[in-house]
């Protein structure tokens, strides 16, 4: 059974932003919060593939999606090659 879409995704986004802002404090107090970023990234990948399964693997690229993907690729490339 696929999860239902959130009726108000802004609440989830605000909660994640607050959680990331206090992540250092949570890491010192509670050890398992060290893996918070990885868990969020993994859940986004899983939710993306669940969304693809729900739409029978058809995904329409819009111009804003393409811009976001290009900026993400640029961000990954700048992190992959450290300065000499």
């Amino acid at each position: 059974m696929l999860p239902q879409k959130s009726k108000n995704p802004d609440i989830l986004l605000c909660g994640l932003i607050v959680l990331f802002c206090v992540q250092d404090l949570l890491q010192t107090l509670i050890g398992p919060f060290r893996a918070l970023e990885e868990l969020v990234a993994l859940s986004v990948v899983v939710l993306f593939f669940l969304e693809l399964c729900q739409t029978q693997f058809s995904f329409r690229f819009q111009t804003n999606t393409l811009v976001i993907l290009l900026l993400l690729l640029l961000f990954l490339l700048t992190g992959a090659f450290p300065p000499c």
Side-chain angles (χ1 to χ4, degrees):
M1 186 164 145
L2 294 175
Q4 295 294 323
K5 286 191 176 192
S6 174
K7 292 185 170 107
N8 194 357
D10 297 335
I11 294 173
L12 178 64
L13 181 62
C14 289
L16 281 174
I17 289 172
V18 168
L19 198 59
F20 282 133
C21 286
V22 295
Q23 181 182 3
D24 287 335
L25 176 65
L26 289 173
Q27 284 178 355
T28 57
L29 297 175
I30 306 168
F33 274 98
R34 291 185 184 114
L36 178 68
E37 294 167 341
E38 288 80 8
L39 289 174
V40 170
L42 183 64
S43 66
V44 167
V45 170
V46 168
L47 288 175
F48 176 73
F49 282 113
L50 285 175
E51 181 72 23
L52 276 181
C53 290
Q54 201 172 27
T55 60
Q56 287 83 29
F57 292 96
S58 64
F59 185 76
R60 290 184 333 150
F61 279 100
Q62 299 172 348
T63 54
N64 59 350
T65 306
L66 194 58
V67 169
I68 290 171
L69 288 175
L70 287 174
L71 290 174
L72 182 61
L73 180 66
L74 180 67
F75 176 72
L76 291 173
L77 287 175
T78 57
F81 302 108
C84 297

Coordinates of all heavy atoms in Angstrom, one line a residue:
M1 N 0.8 -1.2 0.0 CA 0.0 0.0 0.0 C 0.9 1.2 0.0 O 1.8 1.4 0.8 CB -0.9 0.0 1.2 CG -1.9 1.1 1.3 SD -3.1 0.6 2.5 CE -3.5 2.2 3.1
L2 N 0.6 2.1 -0.9 CA 1.4 3.3 -1.0 C 1.0 4.4 0.0 O -0.2 4.5 0.3 CB 1.4 3.9 -2.5 CG 2.0 3.0 -3.5 CD1 1.7 3.6 -4.9 CD2 3.4 2.8 -3.3
P3 N 1.9 5.2 0.5 CA 1.5 6.2 1.4 C 0.7 7.3 0.8 O 0.8 7.6 -0.4 CB 2.8 6.8 1.9 CG 3.8 6.4 0.9 CD 3.3 5.2 0.2
Q4 N -0.2 7.9 1.6 CA -1.1 9.0 1.1 C -0.3 10.3 1.0 O 0.7 10.5 1.8 CB -2.3 9.2 2.0 CG -3.2 8.0 2.0 CD -3.9 7.8 0.7 OE1 -4.3 8.7 0.0 NE2 -4.1 6.5 0.4
K5 N -0.6 11.1 0.0 CA 0.1 12.4 -0.1 C -0.4 13.3 1.1 O -1.5 13.3 1.5 CB -0.2 13.1 -1.4 CG 0.5 12.4 -2.5 CD 0.3 13.3 -3.8 CE 1.1 12.6 -4.9 NZ 1.3 13.5 -6.0
S6 N 0.6 14.1 1.6 CA 0.3 15.0 2.6 C -0.6 16.1 2.1 O -0.4 16.6 1.0 CB 1.6 15.6 3.2 OG 1.3 16.6 4.1
K7 N -1.6 16.5 3.0 CA -2.5 17.6 2.6 C -1.8 18.9 2.7 O -2.2 19.9 2.1 CB -3.7 17.5 3.4 CG -4.6 16.3 3.1 CD -5.9 16.3 3.9 CE -6.7 15.2 3.3 NZ -6.9 14.1 4.1
N8 N -0.8 19.0 3.6 CA -0.1 20.3 3.8 C 1.4 20.0 3.9 O 2.0 19.8 5.0 CB -0.6 21.0 5.0 CG -0.1 22.4 5.1 OD1 0.6 22.9 4.2 ND2 -0.6 23.1 6.1
P9 N 2.1 19.9 2.7 CA 3.5 19.5 2.8 C 4.4 20.6 3.4 O 5.5 20.4 3.7 CB 3.9 19.3 1.3 CG 2.8 20.1 0.5 CD 1.6 20.0 1.4
D10 N 3.8 21.8 3.5 CA 4.6 22.9 4.1 C 5.0 22.6 5.6 O 6.0 23.0 6.0 CB 3.8 24.3 4.0 CG 3.6 24.7 2.6 OD1 4.4 24.3 1.7 OD2 2.6 25.4 2.4
I11 N 4.1 22.0 6.3 CA 4.4 21.6 7.7 C 5.5 20.7 7.8 O 6.4 20.8 8.6 CB 3.1 21.0 8.3 CG1 2.0 22.1 8.4 CG2 3.4 20.5 9.7 CD1 0.7 21.6 8.9
L12 N 5.6 19.7 6.9 CA 6.7 18.8 6.8 C 8.0 19.5 6.5 O 9.0 19.2 7.2 CB 6.4 17.6 5.8 CG 7.5 16.6 5.7 CD1 7.7 15.8 7.0 CD2 7.2 15.7 4.5
L13 N 8.0 20.4 5.5 CA 9.2 21.1 5.2 C 9.7 22.0 6.3 O 10.9 22.0 6.6 CB 8.9 21.9 3.9 CG 10.1 22.7 3.4 CD1 11.2 21.8 3.0 CD2 9.7 23.6 2.2
C14 N 8.7 22.7 7.0 CA 9.1 23.5 8.1 C 9.7 22.7 9.2 O 10.7 23.1 9.9 CB 7.9 24.3 8.6 SG 7.5 25.7 7.4
G15 N 9.1 21.5 9.5 CA 9.6 20.7 10.5 C 11.0 20.2 10.2 O 11.9 20.1 11.1
L16 N 11.3 19.8 8.9 CA 12.6 19.4 8.5 C 13.6 20.5 8.7 O 14.8 20.3 9.1 CB 12.6 18.9 7.1 CG 12.1 17.4 7.0 CD1 12.0 17.1 5.5 CD2 12.9 16.4 7.7
I17 N 13.2 21.7 8.3 CA 14.2 22.9 8.4 C 14.5 23.1 9.9 O 15.7 23.3 10.2 CB 13.5 24.1 7.8 CG1 13.5 24.0 6.2 CG2 14.3 25.4 8.1 CD1 12.8 25.0 5.5
V18 N 13.5 23.1 10.8 CA 13.8 23.3 12.2 C 14.7 22.1 12.7 O 15.6 22.4 13.5 CB 12.5 23.4 13.0 CG1 12.7 23.3 14.5 CG2 11.7 24.6 12.6
L19 N 14.4 20.9 12.3 CA 15.2 19.8 12.7 C 16.6 19.9 12.3 O 17.6 19.6 13.0 CB 14.6 18.5 12.2 CG 15.0 17.2 12.8 CD1 14.6 17.2 14.3 CD2 14.3 16.0 12.2
F20 N 16.9 20.4 11.1 CA 18.2 20.6 10.6 C 18.9 21.7 11.3 O 20.2 21.7 11.4 CB 18.3 20.8 9.1 CG 18.1 19.5 8.3 CD1 17.2 19.4 7.2 CD2 18.8 18.4 8.6 CE1 17.1 18.3 6.5 CE2 18.7 17.2 7.9 CZ 17.8 17.1 6.8
C21 N 18.2 22.7 11.7 CA 18.8 23.9 12.4 C 19.3 23.5 13.8 O 20.3 24.0 14.3 CB 17.8 25.0 12.5 SG 17.5 25.9 11.0
V22 N 18.6 22.5 14.4 CA 19.0 22.1 15.8 C 19.7 20.7 15.8 O 19.8 20.1 16.8 CB 17.8 22.1 16.8 CG1 17.3 23.4 17.0 CG2 16.7 21.1 16.3
Q23 N 20.2 20.3 14.6 CA 20.8 19.0 14.4 C 22.0 18.9 15.2 O 22.2 17.8 15.8 CB 21.1 18.7 12.9 CG 21.7 17.4 12.7 CD 22.0 17.1 11.3 OE1 21.9 18.0 10.4 NE2 22.5 15.9 11.0
D24 N 22.9 19.9 15.3 CA 24.1 19.8 16.1 C 23.8 19.5 17.5 O 24.5 18.7 18.2 CB 25.0 21.0 15.9 CG 25.6 21.1 14.5 OD1 25.8 20.0 13.9 OD2 25.9 22.2 14.0
L25 N 22.9 20.3 18.1 CA 22.5 20.1 19.5 C 21.9 18.7 19.7 O 22.3 18.0 20.7 CB 21.5 21.1 19.9 CG 20.9 21.0 21.3 CD1 22.0 21.2 22.3 CD2 19.8 22.0 21.5
L26 N 21.1 18.2 18.8 CA 20.5 16.9 18.9 C 21.6 15.8 18.8 O 21.5 14.8 19.4 CB 19.4 16.7 17.9 CG 18.1 17.4 18.1 CD1 17.2 17.3 16.9 CD2 17.5 17.0 19.4
Q27 N 22.6 16.0 18.0 CA 23.7 15.0 17.8 C 24.5 14.9 19.1 O 24.9 13.8 19.4 CB 24.6 15.4 16.7 CG 24.0 15.2 15.3 CD 25.0 15.7 14.2 OE1 26.0 16.2 14.5 NE2 24.6 15.4 13.0
T28 N 24.7 16.0 19.8 CA 25.4 15.9 21.0 C 24.6 15.2 22.1 O 25.2 14.5 23.0 CB 25.9 17.3 21.5 OG1 24.8 18.1 21.7 CG2 26.9 17.8 20.5
L29 N 23.3 15.5 22.1 CA 22.5 14.9 23.2 C 22.0 13.5 22.9 O 22.0 12.6 23.8 CB 21.2 15.8 23.4 CG 21.5 17.2 23.9 CD1 20.2 18.0 23.9 CD2 22.2 17.2 25.3
I30 N 21.6 13.2 21.7 CA 21.1 11.9 21.2 C 21.9 11.4 20.1 O 21.9 12.0 19.0 CB 19.6 12.0 20.9 CG1 18.8 12.7 22.0 CG2 19.1 10.7 20.5 CD1 17.4 13.1 21.6
G31 N 22.7 10.3 20.3 CA 23.6 9.8 19.3 C 23.0 9.5 17.9 O 23.6 9.8 16.9
P32 N 21.8 8.8 17.8 CA 21.3 8.4 16.5 C 21.0 9.5 15.6 O 20.8 9.3 14.4 CB 20.1 7.6 16.8 CG 20.3 7.1 18.2 CD 21.1 8.2 18.9
F33 N 20.9 10.8 16.0 CA 20.6 11.9 15.2 C 21.8 12.2 14.2 O 21.7 13.1 13.4 CB 20.3 13.1 16.0 CG 18.8 13.2 16.3 CD1 18.3 12.8 17.5 CD2 17.9 13.6 15.3 CE1 17.0 12.8 17.8 CE2 16.5 13.7 15.6 CZ 16.1 13.2 16.9
R34 N 22.9 11.5 14.4 CA 24.1 11.7 13.5 C 23.7 11.2 12.1 O 24.3 11.7 11.1 CB 25.3 11.0 14.0 CG 25.8 11.6 15.3 CD 27.1 10.9 15.7 NE 27.6 11.4 16.9 CZ 27.6 10.7 18.1 NH1 27.3 9.5 18.1 NH2 28.0 11.3 19.2
A35 N 22.8 10.3 12.0 CA 22.4 9.8 10.7 C 21.2 10.5 10.1 O 20.6 10.0 9.1 CB 22.2 8.3 10.8
L36 N 20.8 11.6 10.6 CA 19.6 12.3 10.2 C 19.6 12.7 8.7 O 18.7 12.4 8.0 CB 19.3 13.5 11.1 CG 18.1 14.3 10.7 CD1 16.8 13.5 11.0 CD2 18.1 15.6 11.5
E37 N 20.7 13.3 8.3 CA 20.8 13.7 6.9 C 20.7 12.5 5.9 O 20.0 12.6 4.9 CB 22.1 14.5 6.7 CG 22.1 15.8 7.4 CD 23.5 16.4 7.5 OE1 24.5 15.7 7.2 OE2 23.6 17.6 7.7
E38 N 21.4 11.4 6.3 CA 21.3 10.3 5.4 C 19.9 9.7 5.3 O 19.5 9.2 4.3 CB 22.4 9.2 5.9 CG 23.8 9.7 5.6 CD 24.4 10.6 6.6 OE1 23.7 10.9 7.6 OE2 25.5 11.1 6.4
L39 N 19.3 9.6 6.5 CA 17.9 9.1 6.5 C 16.9 9.9 5.7 O 16.1 9.4 5.0 CB 17.4 8.9 7.9 CG 18.1 7.9 8.8 CD1 17.6 7.9 10.2 CD2 17.8 6.5 8.2
V40 N 17.1 11.2 5.8 CA 16.2 12.1 5.0 C 16.5 11.9 3.5 O 15.6 11.8 2.7 CB 16.4 13.6 5.4 CG1 15.7 14.5 4.4 CG2 15.9 13.8 6.8
A41 N 17.8 11.8 3.1 CA 18.1 11.6 1.7 C 17.6 10.3 1.2 O 17.0 10.2 0.1 CB 19.6 11.7 1.5
L42 N 17.7 9.2 2.0 CA 17.3 7.9 1.6 C 15.8 7.9 1.5 O 15.2 7.3 0.5 CB 17.7 6.9 2.6 CG 17.4 5.4 2.3 CD1 18.1 5.0 1.0 CD2 17.8 4.5 3.4
S43 N 15.1 8.6 2.4 CA 13.6 8.6 2.3 C 13.1 9.3 1.1 O 12.1 9.0 0.5 CB 13.0 9.1 3.6 OG 13.3 10.5 3.7
V44 N 13.8 10.4 0.7 CA 13.4 11.1 -0.5 C 13.6 10.3 -1.7 O 12.7 10.2 -2.6 CB 14.2 12.4 -0.6 CG1 14.1 13.1 -2.0 CG2 13.8 13.4 0.4
V45 N 14.6 9.5 -1.8 CA 14.8 8.6 -3.0 C 13.8 7.5 -3.0 O 13.2 7.2 -4.0 CB 16.2 7.9 -2.9 CG1 16.4 6.8 -3.9 CG2 17.3 9.0 -3.1
V46 N 13.4 6.9 -1.8 CA 12.4 5.9 -1.8 C 11.0 6.5 -2.2 O 10.3 5.9 -2.9 CB 12.3 5.3 -0.4 CG1 11.1 4.4 -0.2 CG2 13.6 4.5 -0.1
L47 N 10.7 7.7 -1.7 CA 9.4 8.3 -2.0 C 9.4 8.7 -3.5 O 8.3 8.6 -4.1 CB 9.2 9.6 -1.2 CG 8.9 9.3 0.3 CD1 8.8 10.6 1.1 CD2 7.6 8.5 0.5
F48 N 10.5 9.1 -4.1 CA 10.5 9.4 -5.5 C 10.2 8.1 -6.3 O 9.4 8.1 -7.2 CB 11.9 9.9 -5.9 CG 12.0 10.1 -7.4 CD1 11.4 11.2 -8.0 CD2 12.8 9.3 -8.2 CE1 11.5 11.4 -9.4 CE2 12.9 9.5 -9.5 CZ 12.3 10.5 -10.1
F49 N 10.8 7.0 -5.9 CA 10.5 5.7 -6.7 C 9.1 5.2 -6.4 O 8.5 4.7 -7.3 CB 11.5 4.7 -6.4 CG 12.8 4.9 -7.1 CD1 14.0 5.2 -6.4 CD2 12.9 4.8 -8.5 CE1 15.2 5.4 -7.1 CE2 14.1 5.0 -9.1 CZ 15.2 5.3 -8.4
L50 N 8.6 5.5 -5.2 CA 7.2 5.1 -5.0 C 6.2 6.0 -5.8 O 5.2 5.5 -6.4 CB 6.8 5.3 -3.5 CG 7.3 4.2 -2.6 CD1 7.0 4.6 -1.1 CD2 6.8 2.9 -2.9
E51 N 6.6 7.2 -6.0 CA 5.8 8.1 -6.9 C 5.9 7.7 -8.3 O 4.9 7.7 -9.0 CB 6.3 9.6 -6.7 CG 5.5 10.6 -7.5 CD 4.1 10.9 -7.0 OE1 3.9 10.7 -5.8 OE2 3.3 11.3 -7.8
L52 N 7.0 7.2 -8.8 CA 7.2 6.7 -10.1 C 6.3 5.5 -10.3 O 5.7 5.3 -11.4 CB 8.6 6.4 -10.4 CG 9.5 7.6 -10.9 CD1 10.9 7.1 -11.2 CD2 8.9 8.3 -12.1
C53 N 6.3 4.6 -9.3 CA 5.5 3.4 -9.4 C 4.0 3.7 -9.5 O 3.3 3.1 -10.2 CB 5.8 2.4 -8.2 SG 7.4 1.7 -8.3
Q54 N 3.6 4.7 -8.8 CA 2.2 5.1 -8.7 C 1.8 5.7 -10.1 O 0.6 5.6 -10.5 CB 2.0 6.1 -7.6 CG 0.6 6.2 -7.2 CD 0.5 7.1 -5.9 OE1 1.3 8.0 -5.7 NE2 -0.5 6.8 -5.1
T55 N 2.7 6.3 -10.8 CA 2.3 6.9 -12.1 C 2.8 6.1 -13.3 O 2.9 6.6 -14.4 CB 3.0 8.3 -12.2 OG1 4.4 8.2 -12.1 CG2 2.5 9.3 -11.2
Q56 N 3.0 4.8 -13.0 CA 3.4 3.8 -14.1 C 4.7 4.3 -14.8 O 4.8 4.2 -16.0 CB 2.3 3.6 -15.1 CG 1.2 2.7 -14.6 CD 0.1 3.5 -13.8 OE1 0.0 4.7 -14.1 NE2 -0.5 2.9 -12.9
F57 N 5.6 4.8 -14.0 CA 7.0 5.2 -14.5 C 6.9 6.2 -15.6 O 7.8 6.2 -16.5 CB 7.8 4.0 -15.0 CG 8.2 3.1 -13.8 CD1 7.4 1.9 -13.5 CD2 9.2 3.3 -13.0 CE1 7.7 1.1 -12.5 CE2 9.6 2.5 -12.0 CZ 8.8 1.4 -11.7
S58 N 6.0 7.1 -15.5 CA 5.9 8.2 -16.4 C 6.2 9.5 -15.6 O 5.5 9.8 -14.7 CB 4.6 8.3 -17.2 OG 3.6 8.6 -16.3
F59 N 7.2 10.2 -16.0 CA 7.6 11.4 -15.3 C 7.8 12.5 -16.3 O 8.6 12.4 -17.2 CB 8.8 11.2 -14.4 CG 9.2 12.4 -13.6 CD1 8.5 12.6 -12.4 CD2 10.2 13.2 -13.9 CE1 8.8 13.7 -11.6 CE2 10.6 14.3 -13.1 CZ 9.9 14.5 -11.9
R60 N 7.0 13.6 -16.2 CA 7.1 14.7 -17.1 C 8.1 15.8 -16.5 O 7.9 16.2 -15.4 CB 5.8 15.4 -17.3 CG 4.8 14.6 -18.1 CD 3.6 15.3 -18.4 NE 3.3 16.4 -17.4 CZ 2.6 17.5 -17.6 NH1 2.2 17.7 -18.8 NH2 2.4 18.3 -16.7
F61 N 9.1 16.1 -17.2 CA 10.1 17.1 -16.8 C 9.5 18.4 -17.2 O 9.3 18.7 -18.3 CB 11.5 16.9 -17.4 CG 12.3 15.8 -16.8 CD1 12.4 14.6 -17.3 CD2 13.0 16.1 -15.6 CE1 13.1 13.6 -16.7 CE2 13.7 15.2 -15.0 CZ 13.8 13.9 -15.5
Q62 N 9.4 19.3 -16.2 CA 9.0 20.7 -16.4 C 10.3 21.5 -16.4 O 11.4 21.0 -16.0 CB 8.1 21.1 -15.4 CG 6.8 20.3 -15.3 CD 5.9 20.6 -14.2 OE1 6.3 21.3 -13.3 NE2 4.7 20.2 -14.2
T63 N 10.2 22.7 -16.8 CA 11.4 23.6 -16.9 C 12.0 23.8 -15.5 O 13.2 23.8 -15.3 CB 11.1 24.9 -17.6 OG1 10.1 25.5 -16.9 CG2 10.8 24.7 -19.0
N64 N 11.2 24.0 -14.5 CA 11.7 24.2 -13.1 C 12.3 23.0 -12.6 O 13.3 23.1 -11.8 CB 10.6 24.8 -12.2 CG 9.4 23.9 -12.1 OD1 9.3 22.9 -12.8 ND2 8.6 24.2 -11.1
T65 N 11.8 21.8 -12.9 CA 12.4 20.6 -12.5 C 13.8 20.4 -13.1 O 14.8 20.0 -12.4 CB 11.6 19.4 -12.8 OG1 10.2 19.6 -12.3 CG2 12.1 18.1 -12.3
L66 N 13.9 20.7 -14.4 CA 15.2 20.6 -15.1 C 16.2 21.6 -14.5 O 17.4 21.3 -14.3 CB 15.0 20.9 -16.5 CG 16.2 20.5 -17.5 CD1 16.5 19.0 -17.3 CD2 15.8 20.8 -18.9
V67 N 15.8 22.8 -14.1 CA 16.7 23.8 -13.5 C 17.2 23.3 -12.2 O 18.4 23.4 -11.8 CB 16.0 25.2 -13.4 CG1 16.8 26.1 -12.5 CG2 15.8 25.8 -14.8
I68 N 16.3 22.7 -11.4 CA 16.7 22.2 -10.1 C 17.7 21.1 -10.2 O 18.7 21.0 -9.5 CB 15.4 21.8 -9.3 CG1 14.6 23.0 -8.9 CG2 15.8 20.9 -8.1 CD1 13.3 22.7 -8.3
L69 N 17.4 20.2 -11.2 CA 18.4 19.1 -11.4 C 19.7 19.5 -11.8 O 20.8 19.0 -11.4 CB 17.8 18.1 -12.4 CG 16.6 17.2 -11.9 CD1 16.0 16.4 -13.0 CD2 17.1 16.4 -10.7
L70 N 19.8 20.5 -12.7 CA 21.0 21.1 -13.1 C 21.8 21.8 -12.0 O 23.0 21.6 -11.9 CB 20.8 22.1 -14.3 CG 20.5 21.5 -15.6 CD1 20.1 22.5 -16.6 CD2 21.6 20.6 -16.1
L71 N 21.1 22.5 -11.1 CA 21.7 23.1 -10.0 C 22.2 22.1 -9.0 O 23.3 22.2 -8.4 CB 20.8 24.1 -9.3 CG 20.5 25.4 -10.1 CD1 19.4 26.2 -9.4 CD2 21.7 26.2 -10.3
L72 N 21.5 21.0 -8.8 CA 21.9 19.9 -8.0 C 23.1 19.2 -8.5 O 24.1 18.9 -7.8 CB 20.8 18.9 -7.8 CG 21.0 17.7 -6.9 CD1 21.3 18.2 -5.4 CD2 19.9 16.8 -6.9
L73 N 23.2 19.0 -9.8 CA 24.4 18.4 -10.4 C 25.6 19.3 -10.3 O 26.7 18.9 -10.0 CB 24.1 18.2 -11.9 CG 25.2 17.6 -12.7 CD1 25.5 16.1 -12.2 CD2 24.9 17.5 -14.2
L74 N 25.4 20.6 -10.4 CA 26.5 21.6 -10.2 C 27.0 21.5 -8.8 O 28.2 21.6 -8.5 CB 26.0 23.0 -10.6 CG 27.1 24.1 -10.4 CD1 28.2 23.9 -11.4 CD2 26.4 25.5 -10.6
F75 N 26.1 21.5 -7.8 CA 26.4 21.4 -6.4 C 27.2 20.1 -6.1 O 28.2 20.1 -5.4 CB 25.1 21.4 -5.6 CG 25.4 21.2 -4.1 CD1 26.0 22.2 -3.4 CD2 25.0 20.0 -3.5 CE1 26.2 22.1 -2.0 CE2 25.2 19.9 -2.2 CZ 25.8 20.9 -1.4
L76 N 26.8 19.0 -6.7 CA 27.5 17.7 -6.5 C 28.9 17.8 -7.1 O 29.8 17.2 -6.6 CB 26.7 16.6 -7.1 CG 25.4 16.2 -6.3 CD1 24.6 15.2 -7.1 CD2 25.7 15.8 -4.9
L77 N 29.0 18.4 -8.3 CA 30.3 18.4 -9.0 C 31.3 19.3 -8.2 O 32.5 19.0 -8.2 CB 30.1 18.9 -10.4 CG 29.5 17.9 -11.4 CD1 29.3 18.6 -12.7 CD2 30.4 16.7 -11.5
T78 N 30.8 20.4 -7.6 CA 31.7 21.3 -6.9 C 32.2 20.6 -5.6 O 33.3 20.9 -5.1 CB 31.0 22.6 -6.5 OG1 29.8 22.4 -5.8 CG2 30.8 23.4 -7.8
G79 N 31.3 19.7 -5.0 CA 31.7 19.0 -3.8 C 32.6 17.8 -4.1 O 33.4 17.4 -3.3
A80 N 32.5 17.3 -5.4 CA 33.3 16.1 -5.7 C 34.8 16.4 -6.0 O 35.6 15.6 -5.9 CB 32.7 15.4 -6.9
F81 N 35.1 17.6 -6.4 CA 36.4 18.0 -6.8 C 36.9 19.1 -5.9 O 36.7 20.3 -6.2 CB 36.5 18.5 -8.3 CG 36.0 17.4 -9.2 CD1 34.8 17.6 -9.9 CD2 36.8 16.3 -9.4 CE1 34.4 16.6 -10.8 CE2 36.3 15.3 -10.3 CZ 35.1 15.5 -11.0
P82 N 37.6 18.7 -4.8 CA 38.0 19.8 -3.8 C 39.2 20.6 -4.5 O 39.9 20.1 -5.4 CB 38.5 19.0 -2.7 CG 38.8 17.6 -3.2 CD 37.9 17.4 -4.4
P83 N 39.4 21.8 -4.0 CA 40.5 22.6 -4.5 C 41.8 22.0 -4.2 O 42.0 21.3 -3.2 CB 40.3 24.0 -3.8 CG 39.5 23.7 -2.6 CD 38.6 22.5 -2.9
C84 N 42.8 22.3 -5.1 CA 44.1 21.7 -4.9 C 44.9 22.5 -3.9 O 44.9 23.6 -3.6 CB 44.9 21.7 -6.2 SG 44.1 20.6 -7.4

